[in-house]
Amino acid sequence: MTDEQRNAVLAESGRRTRRSFLVAGVAAAAGVGFYKWLDAEPEQGMQPGLLRRTYQTNASISRGISGEHVLTPTYPLSRAETLRVNGTYGLNMELAPESWRLQVVGVQGDVGRPGYVKDVTAWEYRYREATTKEDQGHDTKVDPNAKTAGKMAPAPMVDKAAEEEDDNHTGRKPRGMEQAGESDSTLAAGTPGLLLTMDDVVRFPRHELVTQFKCIEGWSQVVHWAGIRLADFLEAYPPAPIGGKEPKYVYMETPDGDYYTGYDLVSCRHPQSLLVTEMMGAPLTQFHGAPLRLHMPIKYGYKQIKRIGLISYTNDKPDDYWTKLGYDWYAGL
Ligand SMILES: Nc1nc2c(c(=O)[nH]1)N[C@H]1C(S)=C(S)[C@@H](COP(=O)(O)O)O[C@H]1N2
Ligand SMILES: [Mo]
């Protein structure tokens, strides 16, 4: 898009007329190109907000534009505040930081890449006594009016139970020890893939975002995030075609699979989907998902998995923790 075209779009959108919506819609239909010109704006604050409002106003009269192609509003840093801790499924045992690896499965040409192993599931994450005094946060609350009331019971403290249920005496933590149980998308033993370290992740350009974080329980907070774009990561580790075509989905898990989430590839490529390493100017804490979590402001909080241990491409719609408990798989805002 030329500067002239871009200015025209900006002017039109600013007027927020029906015509501006159409222009924005056409730009949105251009997909990645649309993101690129928005991204070229030094200040991301104003314009996406206008587009977002336009989109919301017109959503009912148009099906040609989807939330996945619109940037969510960004805010001045002064609006950002420390995010409460909410939901600690898969986080109750503290991960030994040196044992963290990112398992990546289904990558094109993975055999020849550094970090390739014949069985990613054989990687042993290790846990240790909690060293942090961090507030363990709020359990997901029960909304008595919700259809799913009763399903949002407090998170059980599973660490002791997990240790005791190690029937095979492998010394490894059993999977699926939280409320929703084991994921249907758990990898089979013997699944090859990559084991990446944090150095492999932070080599991509660093991005910061100040966005609104929305939990389905009805609260939201403006938060300052820093990390890398999931899109950049996925571009460097592209999916291997399945049946001659690009797979549709991305699946993520905490180490040992107690919390898990599924996404369509399009949402993962959204330029505001970040693999986050820092929040509010400091490294992620244990209960906010150290060392790596997802921020995906086009989705509700429950899709924003903390402590990522696995990223996997798949053509089967992946299982999702809160979908198992009755919530919408897409969780779009
Ligand atoms: N591993 C893990 N990730 C998770 C959750 C969880 O329980 N475990 N809860 C989700 C929900 S419902 C919300 S609202 C956010 C909360 O993130 P925060 O604790 O950093 O506020 O994390 C999401 N990611
Ligand atoms: Mo949430």
Side-chain angles (χ1 to χ4, degrees):
M1 189 179 283
T2 66
D3 278 0
E4 202 178 18
Q5 284 169 319
R6 192 181 64 202
N7 289 338
V9 174
L10 289 172
E12 287 294 329
S13 303
R15 271 179 227 132
R16 277 176 278 157
T17 59
R18 171 157 166 77
R19 175 160 156 70
S20 79
F21 169 72
L22 291 175
V23 172
V26 169
V32 171
F34 173 66
Y35 294 143
K36 286 215 168 105
W37 72 257
L38 276 175
D39 197 39
E41 293 303 304
E43 180 49 66
Q44 286 204 0
M46 197 59 184
Q47 181 57 20
L50 291 175
L51 285 179
R52 183 75 186 159
R53 270 199 298 280
T54 310
Y55 161 61
Q56 283 167 343
T57 317
N58 291 281
S60 59
I61 56 161
S62 172
R63 302 188 58 80
I65 183 167
S66 111
E68 270 107 36
H69 292 106
V70 176
L71 292 184
T72 60
T74 57
Y75 300 85
L77 191 54
S78 58
R79 289 276 306 274
E81 52 177 345
T82 303
L83 185 60
R84 62 189 277 188
V85 171
N86 199 64
T88 56
Y89 297 113
L91 304 179
N92 289 311
M93 294 167 77
E94 196 164 306
L95 189 70
E98 68 280 3
S99 82
W100 183 83
R101 291 292 183 282
L102 183 62
Q103 306 175 339
V104 190
V105 166
V107 174
Q108 194 159 35
D110 59 0
V111 185
R113 290 171 182 260
Y116 177 78
V117 292
K118 286 189 175 135
D119 182 5
V120 287
T121 72
W123 180 257
E124 290 191 24
Y125 293 101
R126 289 186 305 279
Y127 300 88
R128 63 181 192 192
E129 287 298 309
T131 58
T132 162
K133 291 221 164 59
E134 185 185 359
D135 173 17
Q136 296 201 6
H138 311 253
D139 291 323
T140 306
K141 277 186 266 152
V142 176
D143 172 358
N145 300 316
K147 268 196 296 195
T148 44
K151 288 181 175 170
M152 294 182 90
M157 293 296 289
V158 293
D159 20 344
K160 287 285 171 310
E163 280 161 29
E164 279 154 23
E165 286 192 27
D166 179 19
D167 294 336
N168 302 324
H169 307 289
T170 56
R172 293 185 63 176
K173 190 176 159 299
R175 300 175 60 83
M177 291 306 295
E178 305 284 12
Q179 191 184 348
E182 189 169 353
S183 166
D184 297 338
S185 303
T186 291
L187 298 177
T191 302
L194 306 174
L195 288 177
L196 303 184
T197 64
M198 197 45 82
D199 286 347
D200 298 320
V201 175
V202 297
R203 69 188 171 92
F204 298 99
R206 185 172 183 278
H207 286 274
E208 294 184 36
L209 268 184
V210 181
T211 50
Q212 192 169 44
F213 181 94
K214 288 184 192 160
C215 175
I216 202 148
E217 295 165 353
W219 55 271
S220 67
Q221 283 185 276
V222 173
V223 184
H224 178 205
W225 310 91
I228 64 148
R229 281 198 174 138
L230 182 54
D232 290 345
F233 180 87
L234 300 184
E235 198 180 314
Y237 297 97
I242 301 175
K245 280 204 241 155
E246 179 172 80
K248 288 198 191 77
Y249 303 106
V250 175
Y251 172 67
M252 298 193 196
E253 269 185 1
T254 53
D256 295 310
D258 286 334
Y259 195 84
Y260 38 91
T261 44
Y263 315 87
D264 45 52
L265 202 47
V266 180
S267 302
C268 292
R269 287 182 174 144
H270 188 282
Q272 292 174 313
S273 295
L274 295 186
L275 287 173
V276 164
T277 51
E278 292 160 60
M279 236 176 70
M280 301 301 290
L284 281 177
T285 58
Q286 152 97 348
F287 290 112
H288 284 301
L292 194 67
R293 77 173 292 168
L294 187 71
H295 178 52
M296 191 180 271
I298 58 169
K299 306 270 180 194
Y300 277 112
Y302 65 88
K303 285 288 191 182
Q304 305 187 27
I305 183 171
K306 300 186 273 190
R307 193 193 277 176
I308 305 170
L310 165 71
I311 298 180
S312 167
Y313 295 111
T314 172
N315 236 349
D316 304 316
K317 194 171 177 183
D319 204 357
D320 188 278
Y321 190 93
W322 281 105
T323 302
K324 255 198 157 60
L325 299 177
Y327 286 77
D328 178 43
W329 188 88
Y330 286 96
L333 290 170

